[in-house]
Amino acid sequence: MNAESSRSHAIFQLKFTQTSVNSATANATDRVSKISLVDLAGSERQDKTGAKGQQLTEAKNINQSLTTLGLVIKALAARTGGSQKFVPYRQSILTWLLKESLGGNS
C-alpha cells in the first residue's frame, strides 16, 4: 500500500438550479442539473499489501464498494435487454450516492 494513499473514494456533487419566470403568467419553472465528480480508490490485494488492522478494514470496504459498483452496472446493462433485474444500489454508500447518475435519466 502506498503510505500517502488516502484509501478512500471521493465524490464531489454540484447542483445547479435555474429558475425562469414567465412575465405574462407569473409562473415559475425550475431546471435542475447535477454534476458528480468521482475519484475511486483502486482495489487492493490484501495478501500483497500486508495490510493489518484499520488498513485491512479500509481495503475490504473499498473492495466491497467497487464490487457493488460492478454489480450495479451489470444489472443496469441487463435491464437494457428488457430484463427487470434488481439493481443493488443500497448495498454500498457509493452506489446509493450515485444512483441518479448511474440509472437515472442522465
Side-chain angles (χ1 to χ4, degrees):
M1 239 184 251
N2 181 348
E4 296 175 17
S5 172
S6 65
R7 290 183 290 281
S8 65
H9 304 305
I11 301 174
F12 184 71
Q13 293 183 325
L14 296 168
K15 185 175 182 179
F16 299 99
T17 304
Q18 177 185 12
T19 304
S20 300
V21 179
N22 184 333
S23 58
T25 62
N27 288 338
T29 57
D30 287 340
R31 283 187 181 174
V32 180
S33 299
K34 184 193 252 184
I35 297 174
S36 297
L37 304 171
V38 181
D39 179 21
L40 297 175
S43 63
E44 307 206 6
R45 296 215 177 256
Q46 294 150 4
D47 56 340
K48 289 185 178 181
T49 61
K52 293 182 177 92
Q54 181 66 29
Q55 287 183 339
L56 180 60
T57 303
E58 290 173 358
K60 285 180 183 178
N61 291 337
I62 288 168
N63 291 344
Q64 179 61 43
S65 65
L66 292 173
T67 300
T68 303
L69 179 60
L71 293 173
V72 165
I73 292 169
K74 185 177 179 180
L76 289 169
R79 280 187 158 194
T80 60
S83 170
Q84 289 300 318
K85 187 169 182 166
F86 173 73
V87 182
Y89 292 114
R90 296 172 107 189
Q91 288 184 4
S92 165
I93 294 173
L94 174 68
T95 54
W96 181 75
L97 288 172
L98 296 175
K99 179 180 179 178
E100 289 178 327
S101 298
L102 293 169
N105 60 359
S106 58

